[in-house]
Amino acid sequence: MSTHEYDIVVVGSGTSGCYAAATAAREGLDVAIVERKSESEAGHIACGDALKGADSFPDAIPKSKIESSFTNTGVDHGRFEIPSEDTVLNIPVPGELAVIDRWEYGRKLIEGAEAAGVEFHYDVVVNDVLQENGRVEGVRGKRNGEVETFEAEITVDAAGALSVLQDNADFSDATFDTNVSYTQFCSAYREIVEVPEPVDWDDALVFKPTDRASGYLWYFPRTPTEINVGLGFQMTEEPMKLVEDLKKDLRSRPEFEGAKVVDKLGAALPTRRPYDSATAPGLVAVGDAAGLVNPTTGGGIAGAAYSGQYAAEEAISAISAGRTDEELWRYNERVMDHFGARYAALDVYNVLSTAVEVDELTSMLASLPGEPIAEALYSGKTSIGPKTALKTLRGAVGHLDQLWEIYQVRNLAEELLEHYEAYPDRPSALPRWQEQRDSIMERVYERTGADPKY
């Protein structure tokens, strides 16, 4: 059995893992990334390839180092196809947007982390944590049949959705959120498809509802002739035949006649609120492993990058102070302050979607202007001006009851946002904060009629 010792060990070489490792390594710490894939496959991750927030990345791996993977920077809106209403809804997307080649992006991240001084261990399947008296002290895994241990002052869980580290760690005396279920996640499948002729919607992210609730198809153009096509559904639903449902829709689209599939991958991703706490003695979770994904769109790359930076910075402070059991809480505060509170508010709309019939929801959306929908999708709240309100009322004739319902839900989402913006500054205050949050969520379930999610 081989044993390796580091200041920080990161499990997973995705966005959050690479940014966490690079941030710490640039400050002179001894850092390793442990990755289950081979060196040639590392960075090959199932993703929709749409990047919201493409204008900003942490300095540890600057945007200039990964920008070559941005294959389409001309997208500026979402195109929502609603077949039941025979209409298309165009919704502007605020901020800088890009579609990327995710594998090339992944390779550039790894190169950036290596340049920062990070050591990589490939082909290691982590299957356990090292833990003593409640404190995580590293991980154990297998490489080519041989057991290897990686000891560290701080372990960063960047192992993705439903992380195996969390399955094996004892959090009974920690604040780490254990209220996690597979039903709070989404199952997704995507293909990279090359089409013979350029599509005429290469400036848009195309969305289309599935035939059942809490699911959608997507068509994201990497280039005018290379399209990321996929389908996802909330795991509260009965299992869908992802591949067959996607192929059925592809066959109905003339622009995909004669197309060639060049890559296939599936994955799970969190469509839930951020973990109440993603820290425990000696451990901090980042990116998907901490539920840090916009639950209405599935987007999580930019948030993952910053969560990695914040985790590393707080780990550096903890190691410097010699208090690795207690000094990581500030990470939770920073995540909530930057984007976690907004994601928690957006989860209210995800809860609503599980209680609304697909035809009813799509019919109402088809009648509304894009401005309030765009604000709800990306900010967690809406501020409708007089002109937009007038357009909304004109279009919503026949849907006023549903519109009133969404208005009430929106008020609850904004109340929840304010509560998350007052996230506690110390672990001892977390239980009281959770009680108050749960009281708001009870009213969300009562208003929407949705089954409790947590």
PDB file of all heavy atoms in Angstrom, residues 102-124:
ATOM      1  N   ARG A 102     -16.453  21.039 -24.093  1.00  0.00           N
ATOM      2  CA  ARG A 102     -16.212  20.717 -22.685  1.00  0.00           C
ATOM      3  C   ARG A 102     -14.955  19.879 -22.471  1.00  0.00           C
ATOM      4  O   ARG A 102     -14.271  20.052 -21.451  1.00  0.00           O
ATOM      5  CB  ARG A 102     -17.439  19.989 -22.094  1.00  0.00           C
ATOM      6  CG  ARG A 102     -17.320  19.652 -20.599  1.00  0.00           C
ATOM      7  CD  ARG A 102     -17.102  20.904 -19.784  1.00  0.00           C
ATOM      8  NE  ARG A 102     -16.919  20.643 -18.364  1.00  0.00           N
ATOM      9  CZ  ARG A 102     -15.795  20.235 -17.788  1.00  0.00           C
ATOM     10  NH1 ARG A 102     -14.725  20.003 -18.537  1.00  0.00           N
ATOM     11  NH2 ARG A 102     -15.716  20.052 -16.495  1.00  0.00           N
ATOM     12  N   TRP A 103     -14.635  18.986 -23.382  1.00  0.00           N
ATOM     13  CA  TRP A 103     -13.434  18.173 -23.205  1.00  0.00           C
ATOM     14  C   TRP A 103     -12.175  19.025 -23.376  1.00  0.00           C
ATOM     15  O   TRP A 103     -11.227  18.935 -22.612  1.00  0.00           O
ATOM     16  CB  TRP A 103     -13.432  17.009 -24.198  1.00  0.00           C
ATOM     17  CG  TRP A 103     -12.494  15.881 -23.801  1.00  0.00           C
ATOM     18  CD1 TRP A 103     -11.590  15.872 -22.775  1.00  0.00           C
ATOM     19  CD2 TRP A 103     -12.411  14.610 -24.416  1.00  0.00           C
ATOM     20  NE1 TRP A 103     -10.926  14.680 -22.715  1.00  0.00           N
ATOM     21  CE2 TRP A 103     -11.418  13.873 -23.722  1.00  0.00           C
ATOM     22  CE3 TRP A 103     -13.048  14.009 -25.494  1.00  0.00           C
ATOM     23  CZ2 TRP A 103     -11.066  12.570 -24.076  1.00  0.00           C
ATOM     24  CZ3 TRP A 103     -12.693  12.706 -25.845  1.00  0.00           C
ATOM     25  CH2 TRP A 103     -11.715  11.998 -25.138  1.00  0.00           C
ATOM     26  N   GLU A 104     -12.180  19.889 -24.369  1.00  0.00           N
ATOM     27  CA  GLU A 104     -11.048  20.790 -24.556  1.00  0.00           C
ATOM     28  C   GLU A 104     -10.932  21.732 -23.362  1.00  0.00           C
ATOM     29  O   GLU A 104      -9.823  22.003 -22.870  1.00  0.00           O
ATOM     30  CB  GLU A 104     -11.222  21.591 -25.843  1.00  0.00           C
ATOM     31  CG  GLU A 104     -10.105  22.593 -26.134  1.00  0.00           C
ATOM     32  CD  GLU A 104      -8.745  21.942 -26.377  1.00  0.00           C
ATOM     33  OE1 GLU A 104      -8.697  20.721 -26.616  1.00  0.00           O
ATOM     34  OE2 GLU A 104      -7.727  22.658 -26.322  1.00  0.00           O
ATOM     35  N   TYR A 105     -12.053  22.214 -22.879  1.00  0.00           N
ATOM     36  CA  TYR A 105     -12.067  23.055 -21.682  1.00  0.00           C
ATOM     37  C   TYR A 105     -11.475  22.296 -20.493  1.00  0.00           C
ATOM     38  O   TYR A 105     -10.660  22.839 -19.729  1.00  0.00           O
ATOM     39  CB  TYR A 105     -13.503  23.480 -21.399  1.00  0.00           C
ATOM     40  CG  TYR A 105     -13.764  24.072 -20.039  1.00  0.00           C
ATOM     41  CD1 TYR A 105     -13.475  25.404 -19.772  1.00  0.00           C
ATOM     42  CD2 TYR A 105     -14.326  23.293 -19.028  1.00  0.00           C
ATOM     43  CE1 TYR A 105     -13.738  25.951 -18.510  1.00  0.00           C
ATOM     44  CE2 TYR A 105     -14.589  23.826 -17.774  1.00  0.00           C
ATOM     45  CZ  TYR A 105     -14.291  25.147 -17.518  1.00  0.00           C
ATOM     46  OH  TYR A 105     -14.555  25.668 -16.274  1.00  0.00           O
ATOM     47  N   GLY A 106     -11.873  21.039 -20.342  1.00  0.00           N
ATOM     48  CA  GLY A 106     -11.343  20.228 -19.254  1.00  0.00           C
ATOM     49  C   GLY A 106      -9.850  20.036 -19.342  1.00  0.00           C
ATOM     50  O   GLY A 106      -9.130  20.096 -18.330  1.00  0.00           O
ATOM     51  N   ARG A 107      -9.339  19.824 -20.550  1.00  0.00           N
ATOM     52  CA  ARG A 107      -7.882  19.673 -20.727  1.00  0.00           C
ATOM     53  C   ARG A 107      -7.149  20.971 -20.397  1.00  0.00           C
ATOM     54  O   ARG A 107      -6.065  20.949 -19.796  1.00  0.00           O
ATOM     55  CB  ARG A 107      -7.582  19.238 -22.168  1.00  0.00           C
ATOM     56  CG  ARG A 107      -7.873  17.771 -22.440  1.00  0.00           C
ATOM     57  CD  ARG A 107      -7.323  17.348 -23.791  1.00  0.00           C
ATOM     58  NE  ARG A 107      -8.150  17.837 -24.879  1.00  0.00           N
ATOM     59  CZ  ARG A 107      -8.993  17.086 -25.579  1.00  0.00           C
ATOM     60  NH1 ARG A 107      -9.147  15.813 -25.286  1.00  0.00           N
ATOM     61  NH2 ARG A 107      -9.708  17.594 -26.561  1.00  0.00           N
ATOM     62  N   LYS A 108      -7.734  22.099 -20.781  1.00  0.00           N
ATOM     63  CA  LYS A 108      -7.103  23.389 -20.488  1.00  0.00           C
ATOM     64  C   LYS A 108      -7.070  23.656 -18.977  1.00  0.00           C
ATOM     65  O   LYS A 108      -6.108  24.230 -18.451  1.00  0.00           O
ATOM     66  CB  LYS A 108      -7.837  24.516 -21.212  1.00  0.00           C
ATOM     67  CG  LYS A 108      -7.710  24.468 -22.734  1.00  0.00           C
ATOM     68  CD  LYS A 108      -6.260  24.605 -23.171  1.00  0.00           C
ATOM     69  CE  LYS A 108      -6.121  24.591 -24.674  1.00  0.00           C
ATOM     70  NZ  LYS A 108      -4.699  24.670 -25.105  1.00  0.00           N
ATOM     71  N   LEU A 109      -8.139  23.255 -18.276  1.00  0.00           N
ATOM     72  CA  LEU A 109      -8.145  23.394 -16.820  1.00  0.00           C
ATOM     73  C   LEU A 109      -7.015  22.595 -16.191  1.00  0.00           C
ATOM     74  O   LEU A 109      -6.309  23.077 -15.296  1.00  0.00           O
ATOM     75  CB  LEU A 109      -9.471  22.907 -16.247  1.00  0.00           C
ATOM     76  CG  LEU A 109     -10.707  23.777 -16.399  1.00  0.00           C
ATOM     77  CD1 LEU A 109     -11.896  23.094 -15.734  1.00  0.00           C
ATOM     78  CD2 LEU A 109     -10.490  25.156 -15.792  1.00  0.00           C
ATOM     79  N   ILE A 110      -6.852  21.362 -16.640  1.00  0.00           N
ATOM     80  CA  ILE A 110      -5.805  20.506 -16.091  1.00  0.00           C
ATOM     81  C   ILE A 110      -4.427  21.091 -16.379  1.00  0.00           C
ATOM     82  O   ILE A 110      -3.545  21.118 -15.505  1.00  0.00           O
ATOM     83  CB  ILE A 110      -5.939  19.074 -16.659  1.00  0.00           C
ATOM     84  CG1 ILE A 110      -7.202  18.417 -16.066  1.00  0.00           C
ATOM     85  CG2 ILE A 110      -4.701  18.242 -16.362  1.00  0.00           C
ATOM     86  CD1 ILE A 110      -7.577  17.110 -16.717  1.00  0.00           C
ATOM     87  N   GLU A 111      -4.242  21.593 -17.588  1.00  0.00           N
ATOM     88  CA  GLU A 111      -2.971  22.244 -17.912  1.00  0.00           C
ATOM     89  C   GLU A 111      -2.730  23.443 -17.001  1.00  0.00           C
ATOM     90  O   GLU A 111      -1.611  23.674 -16.533  1.00  0.00           O
ATOM     91  CB  GLU A 111      -2.976  22.699 -19.373  1.00  0.00           C
ATOM     92  CG  GLU A 111      -2.898  21.566 -20.379  1.00  0.00           C
ATOM     93  CD  GLU A 111      -3.000  22.071 -21.816  1.00  0.00           C
ATOM     94  OE1 GLU A 111      -2.985  23.328 -22.012  1.00  0.00           O
ATOM     95  OE2 GLU A 111      -3.112  21.243 -22.732  1.00  0.00           O
ATOM     96  N   GLY A 112      -3.792  24.212 -16.728  1.00  0.00           N
ATOM     97  CA  GLY A 112      -3.658  25.375 -15.853  1.00  0.00           C
ATOM     98  C   GLY A 112      -3.300  24.981 -14.439  1.00  0.00           C
ATOM     99  O   GLY A 112      -2.485  25.647 -13.780  1.00  0.00           O
ATOM    100  N   ALA A 113      -3.893  23.903 -13.938  1.00  0.00           N
ATOM    101  CA  ALA A 113      -3.580  23.441 -12.588  1.00  0.00           C
ATOM    102  C   ALA A 113      -2.155  22.904 -12.519  1.00  0.00           C
ATOM    103  O   ALA A 113      -1.424  23.154 -11.550  1.00  0.00           O
ATOM    104  CB  ALA A 113      -4.578  22.364 -12.167  1.00  0.00           C
ATOM    105  N   GLU A 114      -1.737  22.184 -13.543  1.00  0.00           N
ATOM    106  CA  GLU A 114      -0.360  21.690 -13.577  1.00  0.00           C
ATOM    107  C   GLU A 114       0.642  22.839 -13.598  1.00  0.00           C
ATOM    108  O   GLU A 114       1.666  22.809 -12.912  1.00  0.00           O
ATOM    109  CB  GLU A 114      -0.150  20.796 -14.804  1.00  0.00           C
ATOM    110  CG  GLU A 114      -0.830  19.439 -14.692  1.00  0.00           C
ATOM    111  CD  GLU A 114      -0.679  18.612 -15.962  1.00  0.00           C
ATOM    112  OE1 GLU A 114      -0.550  19.233 -17.058  1.00  0.00           O
ATOM    113  OE2 GLU A 114      -0.689  17.373 -15.877  1.00  0.00           O
ATOM    114  N   ALA A 115       0.334  23.872 -14.368  1.00  0.00           N
ATOM    115  CA  ALA A 115       1.223  25.036 -14.435  1.00  0.00           C
ATOM    116  C   ALA A 115       1.325  25.746 -13.087  1.00  0.00           C
ATOM    117  O   ALA A 115       2.351  26.372 -12.782  1.00  0.00           O
ATOM    118  CB  ALA A 115       0.719  26.009 -15.503  1.00  0.00           C
ATOM    119  N   ALA A 116       0.286  25.626 -12.268  1.00  0.00           N
ATOM    120  CA  ALA A 116       0.295  26.242 -10.940  1.00  0.00           C
ATOM    121  C   ALA A 116       1.085  25.416  -9.928  1.00  0.00           C
ATOM    122  O   ALA A 116       1.340  25.885  -8.819  1.00  0.00           O
ATOM    123  CB  ALA A 116      -1.135  26.435 -10.441  1.00  0.00           C
ATOM    124  N   GLY A 117       1.435  24.182 -10.310  1.00  0.00           N
ATOM    125  CA  GLY A 117       2.223  23.338  -9.422  1.00  0.00           C
ATOM    126  C   GLY A 117       1.465  22.184  -8.800  1.00  0.00           C
ATOM    127  O   GLY A 117       1.960  21.541  -7.868  1.00  0.00           O
ATOM    128  N   VAL A 118       0.274  21.881  -9.300  1.00  0.00           N
ATOM    129  CA  VAL A 118      -0.525  20.779  -8.760  1.00  0.00           C
ATOM    130  C   VAL A 118      -0.004  19.451  -9.287  1.00  0.00           C
ATOM    131  O   VAL A 118       0.307  19.309 -10.474  1.00  0.00           O
ATOM    132  CB  VAL A 118      -2.012  20.945  -9.144  1.00  0.00           C
ATOM    133  CG1 VAL A 118      -2.840  19.770  -8.643  1.00  0.00           C
ATOM    134  CG2 VAL A 118      -2.560  22.264  -8.601  1.00  0.00           C
ATOM    135  N   GLU A 119       0.061  18.450  -8.416  1.00  0.00           N
ATOM    136  CA  GLU A 119       0.458  17.098  -8.810  1.00  0.00           C
ATOM    137  C   GLU A 119      -0.798  16.271  -9.058  1.00  0.00           C
ATOM    138  O   GLU A 119      -1.746  16.309  -8.267  1.00  0.00           O
ATOM    139  CB  GLU A 119       1.298  16.449  -7.706  1.00  0.00           C
ATOM    140  CG  GLU A 119       1.851  15.078  -8.060  1.00  0.00           C
ATOM    141  CD  GLU A 119       2.791  14.540  -6.997  1.00  0.00           C
ATOM    142  OE1 GLU A 119       3.403  15.360  -6.276  1.00  0.00           O
ATOM    143  OE2 GLU A 119       2.899  13.308  -6.873  1.00  0.00           O
ATOM    144  N   PHE A 120      -0.821  15.515 -10.147  1.00  0.00           N
ATOM    145  CA  PHE A 120      -1.992  14.719 -10.506  1.00  0.00           C
ATOM    146  C   PHE A 120      -1.732  13.228 -10.298  1.00  0.00           C
ATOM    147  O   PHE A 120      -0.647  12.726 -10.598  1.00  0.00           O
ATOM    148  CB  PHE A 120      -2.374  14.961 -11.971  1.00  0.00           C
ATOM    149  CG  PHE A 120      -3.185  16.205 -12.189  1.00  0.00           C
ATOM    150  CD1 PHE A 120      -2.579  17.460 -12.170  1.00  0.00           C
ATOM    151  CD2 PHE A 120      -4.555  16.142 -12.401  1.00  0.00           C
ATOM    152  CE1 PHE A 120      -3.316  18.618 -12.356  1.00  0.00           C
ATOM    153  CE2 PHE A 120      -5.306  17.292 -12.595  1.00  0.00           C
ATOM    154  CZ  PHE A 120      -4.685  18.536 -12.572  1.00  0.00           C
ATOM    155  N   HIS A 121      -2.760  12.544  -9.792  1.00  0.00           N
ATOM    156  CA  HIS A 121      -2.748  11.087  -9.673  1.00  0.00           C
ATOM    157  C   HIS A 121      -3.959  10.568 -10.434  1.00  0.00           C
ATOM    158  O   HIS A 121      -5.104  10.704  -9.977  1.00  0.00           O
ATOM    159  CB  HIS A 121      -2.830  10.653  -8.209  1.00  0.00           C
ATOM    160  CG  HIS A 121      -1.641  11.015  -7.396  1.00  0.00           C
ATOM    161  ND1 HIS A 121      -0.557  10.165  -7.232  1.00  0.00           N
ATOM    162  CD2 HIS A 121      -1.342  12.141  -6.703  1.00  0.00           C
ATOM    163  CE1 HIS A 121       0.349  10.748  -6.459  1.00  0.00           C
ATOM    164  NE2 HIS A 121      -0.099  11.957  -6.130  1.00  0.00           N
ATOM    165  N   TYR A 122      -3.724   9.987 -11.609  1.00  0.00           N
ATOM    166  CA  TYR A 122      -4.804   9.474 -12.443  1.00  0.00           C
ATOM    167  C   TYR A 122      -5.084   8.001 -12.131  1.00  0.00           C
ATOM    168  O   TYR A 122      -4.308   7.336 -11.440  1.00  0.00           O
ATOM    169  CB  TYR A 122      -4.440   9.623 -13.922  1.00  0.00           C
ATOM    170  CG  TYR A 122      -4.287  11.060 -14.375  1.00  0.00           C
ATOM    171  CD1 TYR A 122      -3.016  11.618 -14.558  1.00  0.00           C
ATOM    172  CD2 TYR A 122      -5.401  11.850 -14.604  1.00  0.00           C
ATOM    173  CE1 TYR A 122      -2.871  12.933 -14.979  1.00  0.00           C
ATOM    174  CE2 TYR A 122      -5.264  13.168 -15.021  1.00  0.00           C
ATOM    175  CZ  TYR A 122      -3.998  13.704 -15.206  1.00  0.00           C
ATOM    176  OH  TYR A 122      -3.858  15.011 -15.608  1.00  0.00           O
ATOM    177  N   ASP A 123      -6.215   7.502 -12.640  1.00  0.00           N
ATOM    178  CA  ASP A 123      -6.602   6.093 -12.513  1.00  0.00           C
ATOM    179  C   ASP A 123      -6.794   5.652 -11.070  1.00  0.00           C
ATOM    180  O   ASP A 123      -6.650   4.467 -10.749  1.00  0.00           O
ATOM    181  CB  ASP A 123      -5.562   5.180 -13.184  1.00  0.00           C
ATOM    182  CG  ASP A 123      -5.386   5.468 -14.661  1.00  0.00           C
ATOM    183  OD1 ASP A 123      -6.382   5.373 -15.396  1.00  0.00           O
ATOM    184  OD2 ASP A 123      -4.254   5.807 -15.066  1.00  0.00           O
ATOM    185  N   VAL A 124      -7.119   6.580 -10.192  1.00  0.00           N
ATOM    186  CA  VAL A 124      -7.349   6.251  -8.783  1.00  0.00           C
ATOM    187  C   VAL A 124      -8.855   6.329  -8.498  1.00  0.00           C
ATOM    188  O   VAL A 124      -9.449   7.404  -8.599  1.00  0.00           O
ATOM    189  CB  VAL A 124      -6.596   7.205  -7.836  1.00  0.00           C
ATOM    190  CG1 VAL A 124      -6.871   6.814  -6.378  1.00  0.00           C
ATOM    191  CG2 VAL A 124      -5.103   7.177  -8.114  1.00  0.00           C
TER     192      VAL A 124
END
